[in-house]
């Protein structure tokens, strides 16, 4: 059977999934790697560790005797999380760890730029909010605070570009991933000179932008031999995880939105026009020429719940981490909507949309003598989802949203999906395949191969077999608690700044 392989390089894991030429999953493997937090605002990953994990997982799938006997691989398509920055020298050797999206060390650089006229011009040209997450801010931070490394850097690339280079020897970046850097003009499909000037670099410091359908790359001969793949196997550069998760949910038209929750989270809509917001609260990333994925991301998706599970999960009965998490979900299901008045502000890693405040911090609010652990579990889940709701609520001022489609490890869990439905007061649809970024990469690859005539045709094949209907009583209850959540998130801005400064000083 002829197949395609998709590789999704997530924040904490890589998922390698094989599909047949009808878009049906035939095999899958997963591997994980850590994120390092030397300080509260630092989030880094070892590029070699990520690459080795990708290679190990890919080999594990390809070397499976059953898979190799039954399947022929025609192409490999890539998806990846956005906003990472990895400085490399002229020989392609990493100059330290990769700085990932959750890193907030460039807060000062981003804040000063956002307040300026130049910041407005850059946002309008690039579609990327001015924030420490963006490679624009990260590269500027390196220039200002690590001039020795900056001077040694031949190129600033993302983890996906590094892995593609290891696979092929080329430095390319797809238009979609480029559009998430703050360095790329999404209207003219070229590196934005004003951004380059601000960061103190030239276009030579960056990879060459290309179409998401680019399939000109080929595996290095030695790697192809090691993987036992034909030298004719296509390497399709692919897109960013956010854009592909939206495509993989079947959402490419008006009136629909996707909610993704993995380590981070996002609410996204698709359209043919850039979403204009004078407060710069939304991103506008390229799916394909003339097609934009707009919306808002949160730093604090599943990573916030995993933090809670590590601190308070039950590991005394021989349970592994995933079992402990599911035990906590059972506890949360025993508590009614609203967690009996306990609220959680989930800002463990600062926050992006809609606050765009890198200094935001986590808070449990409303604790009284009757609250037990199960209330904290429920409040933690609801706090993450209140933040998701806040993004969706704001988006609805600009785009009509009739139906919600959820994807990702956490959003597709029954308890989470039902809470999302209750908060929004809308039907929630769950795709048959929860790994929507891989599905989107498969749809892209099948379109490149001519099996689908367009991404729109590919998206129509996506099915949602499970739906959730809102409980109106819970919806009304959540509206009341959300009003307090929203007020606290903004009212504590000054205190967030003060405690963030004190925390940083304690570490220093």
């Amino acid at each position: 059977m002829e197949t395609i392989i998709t590789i999704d390089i997530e924040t904490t894991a890589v998922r390698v999934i094989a599909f047949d030429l009808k878009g049906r999953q035939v095999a899958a493997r997963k591997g994980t790697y850590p994120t390092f937090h030397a300080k509260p605002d630092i989030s880094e990953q070892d590029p070699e560790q990520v690459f080795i994990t990708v290679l190990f997982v890919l080999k594990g799938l390809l070397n499976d005797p059953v898979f190799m006997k039954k399947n022929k691989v025609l192409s490999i398509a890539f998806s990846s999380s956005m906003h990472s920055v990895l400085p490399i020298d002229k020989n392609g050797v990493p100059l330290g760890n990769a700085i990932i999206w959750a890193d907030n060390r460039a807060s000062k650089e981003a804040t000063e730029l956002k307040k300026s006229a130049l910041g407005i011009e850059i946002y309008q040209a690039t579609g990327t909010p001015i924030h420490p997450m963006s490679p624009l801010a990260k590269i500027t931070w390196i220039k200002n605070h690590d001039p020795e490394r900056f001077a040694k850097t031949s190129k600033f690339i993302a983890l996906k570009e590094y892995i593609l280079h290891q696979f092929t020897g080329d430095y390319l970046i797809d238009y979609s991933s480029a559009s998430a850097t703050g360095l790329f003009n999404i209207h003219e499909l070229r590196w934005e000179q004003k951004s380059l000037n601000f960061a103190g670099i030239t276009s030579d410091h960056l990879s060459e932008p290309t179409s998401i359908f680019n399939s000109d790359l080929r595996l290095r001969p030695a790697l192809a031999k090691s993987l036992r793949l034909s030298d004719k196997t296509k390497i399709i550069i692919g897109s960013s995880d956010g854009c592909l998760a939206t495509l993989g949910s079947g959402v490419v038209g008006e009136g629909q939105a996707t909610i993704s929750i993995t380590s981070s989270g996002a609410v996204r809509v698709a359209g043919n026009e850039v979403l204009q917001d004078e407060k710069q609260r939304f991103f506008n990333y390229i799916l394909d020429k003339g097609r934009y994925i707009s919306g808002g991301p949160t730093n604090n998706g599943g990573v916030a719940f995993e933090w809670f599970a590590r601190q308070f999960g039950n590991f005394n009965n021989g349970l592994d981490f995933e079992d402990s998490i599911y035990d906590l979900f059972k506890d949360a299901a025993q508590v009614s909507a609203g967690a009996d008045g306990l609220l959680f502000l989930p800002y463990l890693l600062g926050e992006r949309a809609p606050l765009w405040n890198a200094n935001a911090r986590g808070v449990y609010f409303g604790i009284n003598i009757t609250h037990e652990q199960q209330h904290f579990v429920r409040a933690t889940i609801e706090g993450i989802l209140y933040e998701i709701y806040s993004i969706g609520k704001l988006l609805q001022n600009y785009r009509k949203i009739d139906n919600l489609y959820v994807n990702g490890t956490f959003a597709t869990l029954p308890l989470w999906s039902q809470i999302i439905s209750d908060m929004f007061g809308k039907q929630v649809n769950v795709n048959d395949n929860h790994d929507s970024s891989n599905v989107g990469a498969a749809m892209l690859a099948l379109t490149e191969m001519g099996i689908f005539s367009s991404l729109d045709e590919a998206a129509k094949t996506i099915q949602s077999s499970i739906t959730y209907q809102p409980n109106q009583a819970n919806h009304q209850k959540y509206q009341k608690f959300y009003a307090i959540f929203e007020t606290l998130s903004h009212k504590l801005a000054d205190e967030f700044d003060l405690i963030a400064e004190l925390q940083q000083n304690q570490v220093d």
Side-chain angles (χ1 to χ4, degrees), residues 11 35-45 82-85 97-107 109-110 131-135 137-139 141-142 149 299 349-352 358:
T11 301
T35 301
F36 306 109
H37 305 283
K39 295 181 180 180
D41 285 333
I42 288 180
S43 296
E44 296 182 341
Q45 290 178 339
M82 296 170 276
H83 311 304
S84 60
V85 168
N97 286 335
I99 306 172
I100 69 167
W101 58 266
D103 195 282
N104 286 317
R105 73 185 74 181
S107 179
E109 284 77 8
H131 184 267
M133 72 172 185
S134 77
K138 292 182 173 76
I139 294 171
W141 184 92
I142 295 173
R149 180 161 59 148
N299 283 0
L349 290 169
E351 191 49 287
R352 290 182 284 176

Side-chain angles (χ1 to χ4, degrees), residues 357 359-360 487-499:
N357 183 354
N359 289 334
T487 298
L488 286 171
S489 296
H490 291 281
K491 184 176 287 187
L492 292 175
D494 291 341
E495 287 74 18
F496 286 152
D497 290 343
L498 290 171
I499 198 66

